[in-house]
Amino acid sequence: MNLNATTMPAIRARGIGVAFGGISVLRDVTLDILPGEIHGLIGENGAGKSTLGKVLGGYYTASAGELEVFGTRAHPWNPPAALARGVAIMHQELQLVPDLTVAQNVFLGIEEHSFGVLKTTEAARLDELMASSGFTLQPNAVVSTLPIADQQKIEILRALARHAKVIVMDEPTSSLSKGEITQLHEAMKALRDEGRTVIYVSHFLDDIMEITDRVTVLRDGALVATKITAQETKSSLVSAMLGDGKTETPFPQKKIPAKRVAALQVTGIASGKGANGATLHVNKGEIVGLIGLVGSGRSEIARAIIGADPATSGEVVLEGTAYGKASVAKSNDLGMVMVPEDRRKQGLVMTIPVCANMTLPHLSQFSLAGIIRSGLERLHAGRLIDHFSVRPADLDGNILNYSGGNQQKVLISKWLMEDPRVILLDEPSRGVDVGARETIHNAIAELAEKGAAVLLISSEIEEVLGLAHRAYLVDRGRIVEEIDPATSDVAEVLAALFRHQGTGKMEEAS
Ligand SMILES: Nc1ncnc2c1ncn2[C@@H]1O[C@H](COP(=O)(O)OP(=O)(O)OP(=O)(O)O)[C@@H](O)[C@H]1O
Ligand SMILES: [Mg+2]
């Protein structure tokens, strides 16, 4: 990176302000982003990172300030204008067209095909993009059939396909595996070495420390500082994000349940969707992790257990009672709940306000003779908002406009404040900031302490080791090893995962 003061910045922002309905969410943001740098953008949930990214990409119009791109005023400014000037953005919430193929999504809006048939030049271009980024996908696969990690790769390819000189990547790694994150980092470095600029929004401070040249910290819509990464530490960044000299806290202490009482016993569950004969159990008061590489079938095992995907074989026993044919509704009635991985598709209802999203699963609690007692409902939701510091703290807020991390808080709070007997958590802290992560970790520990059986899926091995009493390693939809988190470290677990990879003895999931 060239920090020479005479370099013309790729982006020059002066006093940028953004307000929605009179509420200001970005204030007086002034910064230069240089050609050929990887520039980190960090801050708590709702700090304004995505909003700033969307201003750069032309999706939001700044209500104050000036934006220059390569020395020329960005005006008029909208997504096509931004693209034409070389600024592309990869959104935090994936924006793919589910019914189109990988190739169609990558070239959407810039396609050269006629009558829906890809030109051979495009097929070649896609090959080239996949080779340079290291992400390999089937060009003709329909997007809705692909796991989130693959969809995230499509977003990345899509930005690359636009020959952008400046690429805003808004939390691109949230569902990628360690290996894929490394690939993405390599692709980012290659872009930097070609003189292009990457603006990298991430809650993973290790990644920010490792790959960025400079990093800008936002807090409550204002810019705290832009720093040279090499002169910072992870904890100096955390304090800058949180203010008041706060730092990251360790995992809550693990309480060992007094008695071993099986809450959930699963034998040989298979679904045809990726669960492939998994056998596991979780005792009351226990947190049990499922660790696997992306695509190993962790989520699919959980989905088969709760009945979100119909099980084709296997047995689920809940507190000693065989369960029979599972469905999500029946599972919920019996006290088994799941916080899904894909909050937009499976978790939240985007057309109803925050309050209703929180109380939705519990409406019977709030109704008397079929009439919802809205006072009680609002009281309950208000407590959840406080407990999880959902921002904005507005019961009637439009969930669609909430920052990614705050949506996640809403989704998770609705189940964590219940008293489920068994809870399946799929990536519960994805996209949430250090403060909210701690709240979620404490809530999980408290649930277990109250006697719930917790099955925890997380791509962050550290998180599983930090929270779980026991953990299973998963490959091809089966359990291949059980580990003791107290005596394992991340490197060992990763080595074990790679050792087991593809060794799943059963036939492949169809
Ligand atoms: N279209 C909109 N209408 C109203 N408010 C909005 C809109 N978009 C964003 N906001 C608000 O702006 C604030 C900043 O949101 P933003 O998405 O930029 O946060 P973020 O830093 O990206 O957070 P996260 O880490 O959770 O993704 C939030 O309070 C959010 O609710
Ligand atoms: Mg965001």
Side-chain angles (χ1 to χ4, degrees):
M1 180 191 50
N2 183 356
L3 284 176
N4 188 333
T6 59
T7 314
M8 182 198 292
I11 301 276
R12 164 162 284 198
R14 290 287 171 272
I16 296 289
V18 174
F20 293 106
I23 299 168
S24 128
V25 299
L26 269 190
R27 280 184 307 278
D28 199 18
V29 170
T30 292
L31 94 153
D32 284 347
I33 294 172
L34 304 176
E37 75 167 326
I38 301 178
H39 195 111
L41 192 55
I42 62 172
E44 288 188 274
N45 295 135
K49 305 176 297 291
S50 297
T51 303
L52 181 57
K54 285 177 187 165
V55 169
L56 300 182
Y59 287 83
Y60 288 164
T61 310
S63 43
E66 281 279 327
L67 190 65
E68 273 179 23
V69 175
F70 295 104
T72 314
R73 191 163 167 238
H75 188 81
W77 201 236
N78 48 44
L83 260 186
R85 299 268 289 276
V87 182
I89 167 163
M90 270 176 60
H91 293 276
Q92 178 174 14
E93 302 299 342
L94 301 177
Q95 301 202 331
L96 301 169
V97 186
D99 296 335
L100 295 185
T101 65
V102 170
Q104 285 169 328
N105 270 282
V106 169
F107 295 111
L108 199 68
I110 54 168
E111 54 274 88
E112 294 166 7
H113 62 69
S114 44
F115 307 110
V117 182
L118 272 194
K119 280 207 171 153
T120 44
T121 50
E122 268 183 355
R125 172 99 181 101
L126 187 58
D127 280 346
E128 194 184 296
L129 288 171
M130 293 202 280
S132 65
S133 63
F135 296 142
T136 314
L137 296 164
Q138 275 297 330
N140 294 323
V142 173
V143 164
S144 59
T145 65
L146 298 174
I148 303 192
D150 284 350
Q151 299 190 16
Q152 209 141 21
K153 292 180 205 164
I154 301 173
E155 280 273 4
I156 296 166
L157 292 172
R158 182 151 135 177
L160 296 177
R162 281 156 177 73
H163 299 286
K165 287 183 273 190
V166 177
I167 303 181
V168 182
M169 300 190 176
D170 196 350
E171 298 194 32
T173 63
S174 55
S175 34
L176 300 184
S177 67
K178 278 248 187 297
E180 290 164 333
I181 293 172
T182 310
Q183 276 173 19
L184 176 67
H185 286 176
E186 290 308 315
M188 285 163 71
K189 286 184 202 155
L191 290 170
R192 170 180 61 190
D193 295 344
E194 290 169 14
R196 299 199 242 185
T197 301
V198 178
I199 299 170
Y200 187 20
V201 181
S202 178
H203 286 287
F204 296 109
L205 296 181
D206 288 321
D207 293 353
I208 292 285
M209 287 298 296
E210 182 191 321
I211 189 152
T212 63
D213 300 299
R214 294 194 302 158
V215 55
T216 289
V217 185
L218 292 179
R219 194 194 311 144
D220 291 335
L223 191 146
V224 178
T226 296
K227 297 157 180 281
I228 293 173
T229 310
Q231 297 172 357
E232 296 300 313
T233 61
K234 215 173 132 184
S235 54
S236 72
L237 293 182
V238 172
S239 328
M241 270 165 59
L242 302 182
D244 307 331
K246 287 188 220 149
T247 51
E248 210 172 3
T249 46
F251 289 101
Q253 211 171 357
K254 291 180 197 172
K255 301 263 167 53
I256 310 290
K259 280 187 288 182
R260 264 194 213 179
V261 183
L264 175 71
Q265 288 163 290
V266 178
T267 317
I269 196 128
S271 67
K273 285 272 174 76
N276 212 351
T279 296
L280 60 95
H281 71 277
V282 187
N283 295 325
K284 281 170 89 77
E286 214 183 13
I287 302 172
V288 172
L290 280 190
I291 304 178
L293 302 169
V294 169
S296 59
R298 297 166 305 182
S299 306
E300 288 73 12
I301 292 173
R303 290 175 57 81
I305 294 173
I306 198 159
D309 292 337
T312 49
S313 62
E315 191 184 39
V316 177
V317 177
L318 204 63
E319 295 189 352
T321 310
Y323 192 110
K325 207 157 184 57
S327 71
V328 176
K330 187 166 154 194
S331 300
N332 291 350
D333 282 349
L334 293 172
M336 174 153 67
V337 301
M338 175 162 177
V339 177
E341 177 185 24
D342 185 344
R343 55 181 172 253
R344 288 226 148 191
K345 269 212 291 242
Q346 298 161 6
L348 295 169
V349 183
M350 291 293 169
T351 48
I352 61 174
V354 169
C355 172
N357 263 292
M358 287 178 156
T359 54
L360 194 62
H362 320 305
L363 280 186
S364 58
Q365 271 182 39
F366 304 114
S367 46
L368 200 61
I371 298 163
I372 294 169
R373 294 156 66 193
S374 70
L376 254 187
E377 183 192 356
R378 294 177 72 84
L379 189 70
H380 180 77
R383 286 204 190 114
L384 293 176
I385 284 180
D386 269 3
H387 189 76
F388 287 93
S389 320
V390 175
R391 293 290 173 271
D394 177 6
L395 285 170
D396 302 310
N398 182 350
I399 191 82
L400 196 62
N401 293 334
Y402 273 52
S403 78
N406 278 298
Q407 288 180 357
Q408 180 76 351
K409 291 186 206 172
V410 169
L411 172 60
I412 196 142
S413 66
K414 73 178 183 186
W415 291 119
L416 285 187
M417 295 295 274
E418 273 294 282
D419 277 322
R421 294 204 278 179
V422 175
I423 183 163
L424 316 177
L425 296 168
D426 198 352
E427 306 282 2
S429 65
R430 166 181 301 161
V432 305
D433 61 49
V434 278
R437 198 173 126 98
E438 188 188 335
T439 310
I440 289 173
H441 288 169
N442 289 336
I444 294 172
E446 270 166 41
L447 268 177
E449 226 173 293
K450 285 195 279 182
V454 181
L455 190 67
L456 171 69
I457 298 174
S458 170
S459 298
E460 245 183 289
I461 296 171
E462 222 173 353
E463 182 172 52
V464 177
L465 298 182
L467 288 172
H469 298 97
R470 290 187 295 121
Y472 294 107
L473 305 189
V474 178
D475 183 62
R476 298 197 190 193
R478 313 182 67 213
I479 307 299
V480 288
E481 192 179 331
E482 184 181 326
I483 61 160
D484 177 2
T487 58
S488 313
D489 67 28
V490 175
E492 282 166 15
V493 171
L494 264 178
L497 285 178
F498 284 112
R499 197 169 60 239
H500 286 297
Q501 195 179 17
T503 59
K505 288 162 227 123
M506 306 274 288
E507 68 283 7
E508 271 211 73
S510 54

